[in-house]
Amino acid sequence: MPHERGQVRVGVAPRERLYASTTDTFDPDQDLDFIAIEYALNGERVRLTTAEKIYAARILDDRGVVTKEIGRRIGADSSTVLGWKENGWKPGKHPKTRVRVPRPEPKCGEPRMYRRHLKAGERCDVCRAANAAADRRYRLTGSQK
C-alpha cells in the first residue's frame, strides 16, 4: 500500500541534530572549525584535522555513541579513537603501529648472501650450495622456512 503524504514509517523520523558550538565558528587557539565538526557529528562527509577529529570524537563519546560509529562519522579507525580516549583525548601513537626490527646482515652460507654475491659479480661456493638447498626445500615443501 503506497504511503500517503505526511505519513511516516516507524523509525524513520529525523534524528536529533548535534551542534558543536552555539556562537563560535572557529577557534584559532586549538585550530578547530566548529562547522566542519558539526557536519561530522551529524554523519555528513567532511575532511577534518586531527584536532577536529579528537574534539568530535569526545563529544560523540560523551553522548554514548559506540566507538565504531564514532570512527565512521569522523573518518578514523575505531582503534585510533580508543587510543585517543585512553590517552586523555590527546593524539598519540596509533595502537597498530609497531616498531620495525631491522633484519640482521646476511652471512655466507645463506640464500640472501648468495644473491648479494651475484649482484657484486662474486662467486661463493658455500652460498651457492645454500641457495640450491633452499630452492630444493621450497620445491619439495612449498615453504621457504
Side-chain angles (χ1 to χ4, degrees):
M1 167 169 139
H3 294 294
E4 296 178 20
R5 206 164 181 84
Q7 186 180 15
V8 178
R9 295 180 311 199
V10 176
V12 182
R15 67 176 175 201
E16 171 191 4
R17 185 149 183 92
L18 302 175
Y19 297 98
S21 176
T22 55
T23 56
D24 296 330
T25 59
F26 186 74
D27 182 359
D29 298 332
Q30 296 180 356
D31 192 30
L32 299 174
D33 179 1
F34 291 115
I35 295 173
I37 292 171
E38 182 180 316
Y39 283 152
L41 291 175
N42 293 293
E44 299 171 29
R45 293 189 65 155
V46 65
R47 294 187 97 183
L48 299 175
T49 64
T50 303
E52 292 166 346
K53 287 180 182 184
I54 293 172
Y55 190 87
R58 187 175 191 173
I59 290 174
L60 290 170
D61 184 65
D62 289 345
R63 290 183 139 297
V65 179
V66 182
T67 308
K68 190 169 186 176
E69 176 64 17
I70 293 172
R72 189 193 64 77
R73 286 192 193 183
I74 66 171
D77 193 49
S78 58
S79 62
T80 303
V81 175
L82 281 175
W84 291 336
K85 185 176 181 179
E86 291 169 1
N87 199 24
W89 295 110
K90 295 178 191 143
K93 286 175 55 174
H94 191 282
K96 291 185 178 177
T97 41
R98 62 185 175 108
V99 178
R100 290 192 57 118
V101 179
R103 289 176 73 177
E105 282 293 313
K107 295 175 255 168
C108 266
E110 295 179 1
R112 286 188 336 168
M113 194 62 191
Y114 173 73
R115 290 188 292 276
R116 192 174 284 186
H117 282 307
L118 279 181
K119 187 176 180 182
E122 302 167 348
R123 181 176 172 93
C124 178
D125 291 333
V126 175
C127 292
R128 195 174 112 230
N131 188 61
D135 191 40
R136 272 193 309 275
R137 189 171 44 252
Y138 178 70
R139 279 188 263 122
L140 287 172
T141 64
S143 173
Q144 292 183 344
K145 295 186 178 193

